[in-house]
Amino acid sequence: MKRILLLFWLLASSCSGLQAQRTTLRTNLLFWGTTTPNAGVEFSLGRNFTLVLDGGYNAWEFSNDMKLNLAFAQPEIRYWFCRRFEGHFIGLHGHYAHFNIGQIDFIPCMKEYVYRGNLYGGGISYGYHWAMGDRWGMEVTVGGGYAQLSYDKYLCRDCGERVGQFKRTYFGPTRAGISLIYFLR
């Protein structure tokens, strides 16, 4: 996690002289639907390229022993078909997450277990950006790719009885978003 924060800081501090329509602040509303606070920043790298740095952290405690704790980072390089922050784009993204989730009643495989571990991988994405005035925008993104999961499985949250260690490879959806965008001036 410290490495991710260091990477965010280095990339953000290297972008001096930021101008209008070259930097945005963003949040993914879908993550808020899972109670996961998240934020991101997008920097212009030229007329048709941008760099997105998204991340989030969920540390909420739920009264019914459900766990949905995670920290994630998802950087992405985008190519805009018209010009940055307008219309269609494609992207190449990476992702890393540390998670501690489980005892979620409405997901059968997670009802009785807690999973703790890491996820990393990458993929490609497609999206579209709508301008909503001079300072605001909305964006929809979908993407697919690869993820490697390495985790421990526990019988319950407090008893600490480990069932085993697992590694899984996943191919499928890796990015989804409905993001609210704010342009810095």
Side-chain angles (χ1 to χ4, degrees), residues 42-107:
E42 186 169 6
F43 304 104
S44 173
L45 300 177
R47 179 176 166 82
N48 295 89
F49 288 94
T50 59
L51 171 65
V52 178
L53 301 172
D54 286 335
Y57 179 68
N58 186 335
W60 304 118
E61 294 287 332
F62 296 95
S63 61
N64 61 354
D65 289 333
M66 182 176 81
K67 295 193 73 60
L68 186 59
N69 305 130
L70 61 101
F72 73 90
Q74 196 168 39
E76 181 176 39
I77 296 286
R78 292 180 172 175
Y79 173 78
W80 296 80
F81 291 108
C82 182
R83 61 182 176 178
R84 66 182 176 267
F85 308 121
E86 289 185 16
H88 301 275
F89 62 85
I90 56 172
L92 181 62
H93 64 268
H95 42 262
Y96 170 80
H98 178 73
F99 57 88
N100 184 10
I101 60 175
Q103 294 185 283
I104 302 171
D105 289 336
F106 55 89
I107 302 176

Side-chain angles (χ1 to χ4, degrees), residues 138-154:
M138 183 70 75
E139 174 182 293
V140 175
T141 309
V142 294
Y146 158 86
Q148 177 71 45
L149 290 92
S150 176
Y151 60 92
D152 294 331
K153 183 177 179 181
Y154 295 88

